[in-house]
Amino acid sequence: MSLDPFLIRAALAGLGVALAAGLLGCFVVWRRMAYFGDATAHAGVLGVALALGLGLPLGLGLLGVAGAMAFLAVRLTDRTFGADSALGVLAHGALGVGLFAAALTPGPRMDLEAVLFGDVLTVGWGDLGLIWAAAAGVAGLIWWNWGLLLTSTLAPDLARAGGMDPRRGSLLLALLVAGLVAVAIQVVGALLVTALLILPAAAARGLARTPEGMAVAACALAAVAALGGLGLAVAADSGVGPATVTVAAGLFAALAGLGRLRRGGPVA
């Protein structure tokens, strides 16, 4: 039985986003940056609204606003603001302003459901090329800067002693997350992209003993979630974004339960 071309494109798009999210997600989990991912992803709604209002390409609006939000979040959390409070304000403020701006945008109404929850089945070959180019760029930059990113994440004092600037690592990671958000919103949506960053990486923690091993495991689990979510969505006639996150959550729950059983502790 042959697959429809739109399903093949959807599967390839999901895989591209999943591989990049698996790599970046490890650093998000290590740095406890869940709110940072939310702030950057929610800014995507504002980016779409501004792009439509100004007649700009959606990708440009998404990347510009998500990048600005990432830079602002890094600057705020480096100052006197508490990290959780600052990122919480940015995350919810960006979503509220974005939804308000969408309501005021002239012309055809923005498809808020597609922006919030994704619509991977509408991905074209041009979008697919952009997604895989972004995934390759994320993977290449992480590989090239692995030492800086890992050391500034796990041991900032050691990074300074070795002549590295941890702030450079934080800014690079923030911009990479912004780039991923800009291309991932069409696949899983602004409300769910952070879940795809966190769940596979968190599930991979118990499968590896080294950071490199965890990154590989996270990519594999994210790929399973992407393909499994597509299959679940087709079978249940539901949205692909929520189905993908559902599969990722199921993988996390199953692996967490197996880990507790191996250690002899209660599952609950």
Side-chain angles (χ1 to χ4, degrees):
M1 183 180 69
S2 60
L3 293 175
D4 291 327
F6 74 92
L7 287 177
I8 295 175
R9 292 194 299 270
L12 291 174
L15 279 176
V17 170
L19 294 176
L23 280 173
L24 280 176
C26 292
F27 291 97
V28 171
V29 168
W30 290 331
R31 287 175 175 254
R32 301 178 181 178
M33 291 173 60
Y35 256 143
F36 175 83
D38 278 337
T40 309
H42 291 175
V45 179
L46 178 58
V48 172
L50 290 178
L52 291 177
L54 298 175
L56 300 173
L58 287 183
L60 182 60
L62 282 167
L63 186 59
V65 174
M69 179 63 71
F71 180 79
L72 179 60
V74 170
R75 296 293 295 175
L76 283 179
T77 52
D78 276 346
R79 294 178 181 273
T80 58
F81 296 90
D84 288 346
S85 298
L87 293 176
V89 168
L90 289 177
H92 300 297
L95 181 60
V97 172
L99 293 174
F100 181 70
L104 298 180
T105 301
R109 288 284 178 167
M110 184 171 65
D111 186 356
L112 284 178
E113 185 174 350
V115 175
L116 295 176
F117 301 108
D119 193 5
V120 69
L121 296 179
T122 64
V123 168
W125 289 112
D127 300 317
L128 189 59
L130 178 62
I131 287 171
W132 275 94
V138 167
L141 286 170
I142 288 179
W143 177 80
W144 186 260
N145 296 279
W146 180 260
L148 169 65
L149 291 173
L150 188 63
T151 307
S152 62
T153 295
L154 302 180
D157 292 336
L158 182 61
R160 294 187 188 92
M164 303 178 188
D165 186 358
R167 291 174 300 178
R168 179 171 168 264
S170 297
L171 183 58
L172 174 60
L173 182 60
L175 294 177
L176 288 176
V177 171
L180 176 65
V181 165
V183 299
I185 278 182
Q186 191 169 0
V187 178
V188 291
L191 294 184
L192 303 177
V193 65
T194 309
L196 192 59
L197 278 168
I198 295 171
L199 287 171
R205 267 185 159 174
L207 300 178
R209 297 183 177 180
T210 64
E212 293 81 4
M214 180 174 162
V216 171
C219 288
L221 291 173
V224 171
L227 295 179
L230 178 60
L232 178 62
V234 172
D237 192 21
S238 66
V240 178
T244 299
V245 176
T246 298
V247 173
L251 289 171
F252 172 79
L255 290 172
L258 288 174
R260 285 184 174 272
L261 287 175
R262 283 199 305 265
R263 292 192 298 270
V267 176

